[in-house]
């Protein structure tokens, strides 16, 4: 096993519980998605995993060794893509890659070769001698990823690597991660609050909320937990929290949320409730009614009672 | 790491303009003003005196290299990336300090070379003078490390060092000569590390070994104290 976190507890100053009996397992060659809203504990879990945080309890093992932050050999085997862009903006991409390669002991011809390989892989081969200041946000993100790949780590941890970039760059990065996982035997932990990203690339997903893993499994198995549940989306002219309360009180209704004047209603299997729902909405102007297959978002919604959009919990 | 840290400092064009261009202009201006003062010392003597004062002053401002470098590396998200590397984090602190010292010292040499070449200033005991200037730079950069570990933001460290430089220059009577008194005589020698360096420099220039010992001694103690204190503060930052 590449990573094992079991019953991990981490408290911050003021006794805030950041990780609450947190569990995570990653096997060789696997892409694991860590999904949760901002503040859920994803970054804390990663810092504990790479040894940047001491934990207050539980087991943290990487490559079968206890992670206490002092084992420098472990660091050689891990690549961390930080949530923030951490490259030197004044120096060229080449110099940035060279620096990070040197930190991990690469030199000479091997280093030059790796810089070219990584440059190709992140799509910056022809812009290696430009300074990141001249790059778009997406290019900087790609360089940020490249800096973590120089030393060919066996475990790559990507902490929200697509925050704040355009859809095209986001697509590039997702394809890149998929490709990396397919062509190498590297294990990847990918944290995100974008459900569709995790759904697209992860072999297994851990859903984290308030420092605790509330569900895990393959995307398919998690969605199957929703099987049979009826999902409806009813858009009205002006939604009201009072209606949410009324809809929640209906028999067979499991969860109701209101987002942008759309009521999202999840009901038990086989329940015929459309007429009851519409009756509750008789005082409102209905614009659109739709039903759809469950998604990972619905799983998250069911498990947490919250919806996940751009890291905000509604 | 050598290449990277050196490039990082050399690419700071604005820094070079401020730390080399500005003192060159100021030295030239002050020397030309001094020329018109009645009973002024010969230009080469005045140029050396003025040049050394500006060198000391801008060595202080050059401390920005260390606190800006350390702020970037350890008081920003960059910290996690460096702490994640197999290298001991103190190596990044040493690299910041070492290359800041080298670049700031090179700037001091440029200014000293300017007063020698342009104004014909004679510098007796050049090796001693260069050694004391190096000690001055070492102190300034270590002090900068201490400042950033205390204040945690380069802007605050910059304000603190600016106040220190201005205060030290006034107390030493470098901006405006102060009236003679027991206090001003004391302040000229002991009031700050800046005066310790100045005292040791003129000890070498005017062949007064006792002043050299006093200045270099105080400066050496200052360097050790600041280095130990900064190292102690760094532990919480680097953990």
């Amino acid at each position: 096993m590449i990573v094992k976190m079991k019953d991990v507890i981490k408290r911050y100053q003021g006794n805030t519980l950041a990780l609450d009996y947190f569990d995570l397992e990653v096997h060789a060659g696997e892409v694991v998605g860590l999904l949760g809203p901002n503040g859920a504990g994803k970054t804390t879990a990663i810092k504990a995993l790479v040894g940047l945080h001491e934990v207050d309890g539980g087991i943290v093992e990487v490559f079968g060794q206890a992670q206490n932050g002092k084992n420098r050999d472990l660091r050689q085997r891990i690549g961390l893509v930080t949530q923030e862009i951490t490259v030197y903006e004044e120096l060229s991409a080449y110099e940035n890659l060279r620096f990070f390669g040197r930190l991990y002991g690469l030199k000479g011809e091997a280093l030059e070769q790796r810089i070219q390989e990584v440059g190709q892989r992140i799509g910056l081969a022809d812009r290696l001698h430009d300074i990141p200041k001249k790059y778009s946000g997406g290019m900087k993100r790609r360089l940020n990823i490249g800096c973590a790949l120089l030393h060919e780590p066996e475990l790559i941890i990507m902490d929200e690597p697509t925050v704040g970039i355009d859809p095209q760059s986001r697509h590039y990065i997702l394809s890149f991660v998929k490709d990396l996982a397919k062509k190498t035997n590297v294990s990847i932990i990918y944290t995100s609050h974008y459900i569709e990203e995790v759904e697209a690339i992860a072999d297994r997903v851990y859903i984290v909320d308030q420092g605790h893993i509330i569900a895990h499994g393959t995307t398919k198995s998690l969605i199957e937990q929703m099987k049979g549940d009826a999902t409806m989306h009813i858009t009205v002219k002006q939604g009201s929290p009072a209606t949410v309360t009324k809809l929640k009180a209906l028999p067979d209704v499991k969860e109701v949320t209101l987002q942008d004047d759309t009521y999202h209603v999840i009901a038990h299997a086989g329940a015929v409730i459309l007429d009851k729902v519409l009756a509750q909405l008789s005082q409102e102007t209905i614009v659109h009614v739709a039903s759809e297959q469950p998604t990972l978002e619905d799983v998250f919604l069911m498990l947490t009672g919250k919806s996940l959009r751009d890291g905000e919990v509604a | 790491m050598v290449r990277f840290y050196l490039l990082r400092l050399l690419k700071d064009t604005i820094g070079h303009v401020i730390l080399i261009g500005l003192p060159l202009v100021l030295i030239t201006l002050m020397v030309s003003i001094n020329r018109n003062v009645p009973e002024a010392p010969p230009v080469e003597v005045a140029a050396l005196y003025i040049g050394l004062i500006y060198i000391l002053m801008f060595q202080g401002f050059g401390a920005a290299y260390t606190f800006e470098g350390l702020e970037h590396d350890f008081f920003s998200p960059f910290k996690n990336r460096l702490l994640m590397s197999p290298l001991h984090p103190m190596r990044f602190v040493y690299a910041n300090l070492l290359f800041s010292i080298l670049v700031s010292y090179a700037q001091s040499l440029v200014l000293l070379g300017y007063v020698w070449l342009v104004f014909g200033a004679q510098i007796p005991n050049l090796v001693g003078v260069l050694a004391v200037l190096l000690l001055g730079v070492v102190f300034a950069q270590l002090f900068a490390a201490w400042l950033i570990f205390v204040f945690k933001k380069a802007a605050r460290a910059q304000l603190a060092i600016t106040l220190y430089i201005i205060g030290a220059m006034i107390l030493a009577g470098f901006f405006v000569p102060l009236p003679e008194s027991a206090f001003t005589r004391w302040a000229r020698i002991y009031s700050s590390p800046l005066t310790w360096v100045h005292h040791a420099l003129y000890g070498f220039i005017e062949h007064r070994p006792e002043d050299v010992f006093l200045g270099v001694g105080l400066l050496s103690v200052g360097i050790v104290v600041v280095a130990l204190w900064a190292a102690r503060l760094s532990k919480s930052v680097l953990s």
Side-chain angles (χ1 to χ4, degrees):
Chain A
M1 195 179 303
I2 304 295
V3 170
K4 181 183 174 187
M5 295 177 84
K6 179 79 181 150
D7 294 337
V8 176
I9 297 168
K10 172 68 189 172
R11 281 189 191 85
Y12 283 128
Q13 279 176 343
N15 229 16
T16 312
L17 198 57
L19 295 179
D20 181 12
Y21 290 92
F22 185 93
D23 297 336
L24 178 72
E25 285 184 3
V26 181
H27 303 280
E30 200 178 32
V31 181
V32 167
L34 202 54
L35 184 67
N38 288 340
K42 304 186 298 292
T43 301
T44 305
I46 280 174
K47 285 185 174 175
L49 179 60
V50 300
L52 292 175
H53 272 343
E54 277 181 39
V55 296
D56 298 306
I59 298 165
V60 182
E61 286 179 3
V62 187
F63 301 110
Q65 298 178 53
Q67 176 61 281
N68 56 12
K70 292 179 180 115
N71 191 341
R72 297 193 181 274
D73 295 340
L74 280 183
R75 297 179 183 192
Q76 193 75 36
R77 302 170 74 182
I78 303 172
L80 175 67
V81 178
T82 50
Q83 194 177 120
E84 301 84 1
I85 295 170
T86 44
V87 297
Y88 289 92
E89 297 252 329
E90 307 290 341
L91 294 180
S92 69
Y94 173 86
E95 290 297 343
N96 272 284
L97 292 171
R98 195 179 185 281
F99 174 64
F100 286 106
R102 290 289 293 126
L103 292 189
Y104 287 85
L106 292 171
K107 55 187 171 185
E109 198 52 43
L111 175 60
E112 290 299 321
Q113 201 182 324
R114 274 303 288 161
I115 292 171
Q116 296 309 322
E117 280 170 17
V118 169
Q120 287 282 354
R121 188 153 248 181
I122 58 176
L124 293 175
D126 54 344
R127 299 284 304 272
L128 277 182
H129 293 282
D130 288 352
I131 57 169
K133 254 188 175 175
K134 291 181 181 169
Y135 284 177
S136 67
M139 290 164 82
K140 285 182 193 173
R141 282 265 164 211
R142 274 143 58 191
L143 177 60
N144 198 41
I145 294 173
C147 291
L149 302 181
L150 258 291
H151 59 293
E152 298 185 82
E154 296 158 65
L155 171 65
I156 300 171
I157 299 165
M158 297 182 162
D159 193 8
E160 312 228 13
T162 59
V163 169
I165 57 171
D166 59 279
Q168 200 187 357
S169 296
R170 204 167 153 200
H171 176 74
Y172 186 99
I173 289 173
L174 289 179
S175 305
F176 165 78
V177 176
K178 273 198 258 187
D179 190 52
L180 188 72
K182 203 159 76 180
K183 289 183 180 162
T184 62
N185 194 38
V186 72
S187 305
I188 299 172
I189 299 175
Y190 189 100
T191 84
S192 181
H193 55 251
Y194 295 118
I195 287 175
E196 61 278 17
E197 287 187 0
V198 172
E199 209 166 6
I201 62 167
D203 300 316
R204 286 192 306 121
V205 180
Y206 283 75
I207 297 179
V208 55
D209 192 34
Q210 296 179 342
H212 189 72
I213 297 294
I214 51 175
H216 74 275
T218 61
T219 306
K220 199 176 158 200
S221 73
L222 286 170
I223 290 172
E224 273 173 6
Q225 291 179 21
M226 298 282 294
K227 211 170 189 178
D229 284 349
T231 310
M232 277 173 276
H233 307 284
I234 303 130
T235 307
V236 295
K237 211 160 189 181
Q238 193 170 9
S240 129
T243 308
V244 173
T245 312
K246 281 189 214 167
L247 289 171
K248 277 184 174 173
L250 288 173
D252 291 325
V253 169
K254 289 173 78 175
E255 186 55 54
V256 182
T257 54
L258 175 63
Q259 259 190 317
D260 301 330
D261 296 323
T262 298
Y263 298 104
H264 303 279
V265 182
I266 300 173
H268 284 294
V272 182
I273 57 154
L274 183 59
D275 55 338
K276 290 175 193 157
V277 169
L278 293 179
Q280 290 295 336
L281 299 171
S282 59
Q283 301 301 310
E284 298 185 30
T285 311
I286 297 172
V287 179
H288 186 251
V289 178
S291 67
E292 61 180 42
Q293 293 297 313
T295 64
L296 203 52
E297 171 111 35
D298 298 318
V299 177
F300 190 86
L301 191 66
M302 182 186 78
L303 292 168
T304 65
K306 302 171 209 166
S307 79
L308 194 65
R309 280 277 177 249
D310 293 334
E312 286 171 17
V313 177
Chain B
M1 212 141 128
V2 171
R3 168 175 161 152
F4 188 80
Y5 276 90
L6 203 55
L7 274 177
R8 199 169 130 182
L9 288 173
L10 292 177
K11 289 228 168 183
D12 179 16
T13 318
I14 296 171
H16 300 317
V17 170
I18 293 171
L19 296 171
I20 300 176
L22 184 59
L24 285 182
V25 171
L26 289 171
I27 289 168
T28 311
L29 189 70
M30 295 309 287
V31 171
S32 61
I33 290 172
N34 190 73
R35 273 190 172 130
N36 302 320
V37 174
E39 296 176 37
V43 71
E44 64 275 13
V45 175
L48 182 62
Y49 182 80
I50 291 165
L52 286 174
I53 285 175
Y54 279 108
I55 286 171
L56 298 188
M57 184 177 171
F58 281 85
Q59 277 185 354
F61 289 125
Y65 283 130
T66 289
F67 57 66
E68 283 181 357
L70 289 177
E71 182 192 51
H72 181 278
D73 287 357
F74 294 107
F75 295 92
S76 76
F78 218 90
K79 177 182 173 181
N80 289 339
R81 191 150 232 174
L82 296 182
L83 293 187
M84 259 299 292
S85 83
L87 298 186
H88 192 285
M90 275 311 278
R91 286 188 61 175
F92 300 106
V93 177
Y94 295 144
N96 264 300
L97 271 170
L98 178 67
F99 291 102
S100 299
I101 287 169
L102 286 179
V103 171
S104 185
Y105 189 53
Q107 289 170 343
S108 295
L109 297 186
V110 169
L111 298 182
L112 194 66
Y114 179 75
V115 294
W116 172 60
L117 281 171
V118 176
F119 300 108
Q122 297 301 305
I123 310 163
N125 275 323
L126 181 63
V127 175
V129 168
L130 294 180
V132 173
L133 285 178
L134 180 60
L135 285 180
V137 172
V138 170
F139 179 86
Q141 300 299 332
L142 283 169
F143 184 48
W146 180 86
L147 283 173
I148 192 69
F149 290 145
V150 169
F151 290 110
K152 297 178 173 48
K153 280 190 187 302
R156 286 188 214 150
Q158 181 69 66
L159 178 65
I161 204 143
T162 304
L163 291 175
Y164 156 72
I165 293 166
I166 292 171
M169 298 286 283
I170 290 171
L171 270 178
F174 291 154
F175 280 149
V176 180
L178 299 174
E180 275 299 306
S181 71
F183 174 74
T184 54
R185 276 193 295 278
W186 174 87
R188 263 202 301 274
I189 302 170
Y190 299 102
S191 59
S192 73
L194 210 124
T195 56
W196 306 343
V197 182
H198 189 261
H199 199 62
L201 284 172
Y202 271 87
F204 271 118
I205 291 167
E206 295 174 352
H207 307 285
R208 292 194 303 265
E210 66 279 11
D211 288 356
V212 172
F213 288 127
L214 182 63
V216 170
L218 286 171
L219 199 55
S220 303
V221 171
I223 285 171
V224 172
V225 170
V226 174
L228 291 175
W229 200 346
R232 191 180 168 152
L233 291 172
S234 73
K235 281 181 188 155
S236 65
V237 175
L238 304 182
S239 61

